[in-house]
Amino acid sequence: MEAILFALLTACCIGSADFSGHFGLRHIKALPGAFFSLFFHFVTIVFAVILMSSWKVADWRGPVFMLLSGILHPGLFFFVLLKAIERLGPARAVTLKATSHFFGVAIAILFLGERPDAQVFVGIFLAVGGVMYLTSEKRERASSKWSFIFPLTAAFLSGLAPNFAKIGLRYLPNPMLGPFFAVAGGIVALTVINTFLSRDEGGIFSWLLKSSPRGILMFVPMGILASVGHIFYFTALIYGPVSQVLPLVHTAPFVAILLSRILIQEHERVNYRLVLSALCIFLGVVLITVGKA
């Protein structure tokens, strides 16, 4: 029962966090926005470690692999996800992001020699079908077709990063300290990228100085909700198996769809195609997760 509760809380936090990024993007571009959201994520994780854990590290291979994982996710992932939200809206971006399990399984098949059963392939078929159905909808702008690359790239990064995190957790089995190093790696990656890209736009730190205080504060909810979701997720895994936790966590798109329908319907059209695609992707994730287990 505890695993179910914490998994559902994780889904609520993740869906709400991704949805809240929509408001910050009205004031700040996706790349600096990703840094600020991750910064608030990092601050929350630091407080969690101080209150609920320790800073003891027995083997530094753990932090190294967690840092590498964090460069991919949440570092590059946050930027690509916010770009997806900016182009498509939170509901569609979060729905397509949920295909990360498909990429995770594909990587495992190609590089780790895993041989999943037929159930996993049915799940992949449903997930891919849901993506194809959603991406085939007519958009108002022709360029929007290419916008679907962003959430799918976010899903790929989300599927790739856990492979590094899984190795890191062998040497650092701490549900608080692991995310600390992962988020730290993400902050380093986004700081370097922002600084590099803004070097010809008024100085290397112009991206910090030009960001409006109001816009920065808009990313506070995303950072806090994402970090709390992190903690709930690892707590759920303590109480229950992955096969029980992950399908519930991947109900996050429905939270984003519900919030979009209630709060920003004038900015993002929630239709039957979106809901049906989210359902197909969710069922696909469930089959992939159970099949892998």
Side-chain angles (χ1 to χ4, degrees):
M1 186 62 188
E2 290 89 350
I4 294 174
L5 174 62
F6 282 110
L8 290 174
L9 288 172
T10 301
C12 290
C13 287
I14 292 174
S16 301
D18 293 343
F19 169 80
S20 69
H22 167 84
F23 299 102
L25 290 170
R26 295 179 181 179
H27 306 278
I28 295 179
K29 292 181 180 179
L31 191 51
F35 170 84
F36 292 121
S37 62
L38 203 55
F39 172 77
F40 294 119
H41 188 162
F42 182 73
V43 170
T44 308
I45 288 289
V46 169
F47 277 108
V49 174
I50 293 173
L51 294 175
M52 305 168 65
S53 185
S54 69
W55 298 98
K56 184 178 180 181
V57 175
D59 191 324
W60 281 97
R61 284 177 291 184
V64 169
F65 279 105
M66 293 306 296
L67 284 168
L68 290 174
S69 172
I71 290 172
L72 298 173
H73 184 295
L76 297 177
F77 166 83
F78 258 46
F79 162 62
V80 179
L81 174 63
L82 286 173
K83 201 70 178 175
I85 293 173
E86 184 180 61
R87 296 290 189 92
L88 297 170
R92 283 166 177 78
V94 177
T95 297
L96 292 172
K97 184 197 74 171
T99 59
S100 59
H101 258 48
F102 162 73
F103 292 104
V105 171
I107 291 168
I109 293 173
L110 292 174
F111 299 105
L112 301 180
E114 292 189 9
R115 292 295 177 264
D117 55 24
Q119 189 169 296
V120 172
F121 286 104
V122 173
I124 291 174
F125 174 79
L126 282 172
V128 173
V131 170
M132 293 178 66
Y133 187 56
L134 182 58
T135 55
S136 66
E137 70 176 344
K138 293 181 180 179
R139 305 294 294 169
E140 293 179 2
R141 296 175 298 172
S143 60
S144 293
K145 245 180 201 181
W146 294 102
S147 299
F148 288 105
I149 292 174
F150 291 103
L152 293 176
T153 301
F156 171 75
L157 292 171
S158 186
L160 177 61
N163 291 280
F164 290 98
K166 187 174 181 178
I167 298 173
L169 288 171
R170 294 176 187 171
Y171 308 105
L172 187 67
N174 185 322
M176 298 292 179
L177 209 52
F180 167 81
F181 285 108
V183 175
I187 287 181
V188 170
L190 288 173
T191 301
V192 171
I193 294 171
N194 272 296
T195 302
F196 177 78
L197 294 179
S198 64
R199 66 191 189 283
D200 297 326
E201 298 178 4
I204 58 175
F205 295 112
S206 60
W207 59 278
L208 277 173
L209 300 175
K210 291 180 180 179
S211 299
S212 69
R214 182 182 180 185
I216 294 172
L217 291 176
M218 285 288 187
F219 285 102
V220 172
M222 186 176 190
I224 294 176
L225 286 167
S227 59
V228 173
H230 240 125
I231 295 169
F232 282 149
Y233 173 63
F234 283 108
T235 305
L237 289 176
I238 291 173
Y239 285 110
V242 173
S243 60
Q244 182 184 47
V245 172
L246 279 185
L248 294 174
V249 170
H250 280 283
T251 59
F254 296 105
V255 177
I257 289 172
L258 179 63
L259 291 173
S260 296
R261 180 67 182 85
I262 295 172
L263 299 176
I264 58 169
Q265 178 66 13
E266 70 275 11
H267 297 286
E268 182 177 19
R269 186 165 51 90
V270 175
N271 54 23
Y272 75 92
R273 182 186 291 267
L274 173 59
V275 175
L276 186 58
S277 298
L279 184 60
C280 285
I281 292 171
F282 168 69
L283 290 175
V285 167
V286 170
L287 289 174
I288 291 171
T289 303
V290 175
K292 285 179 70 179

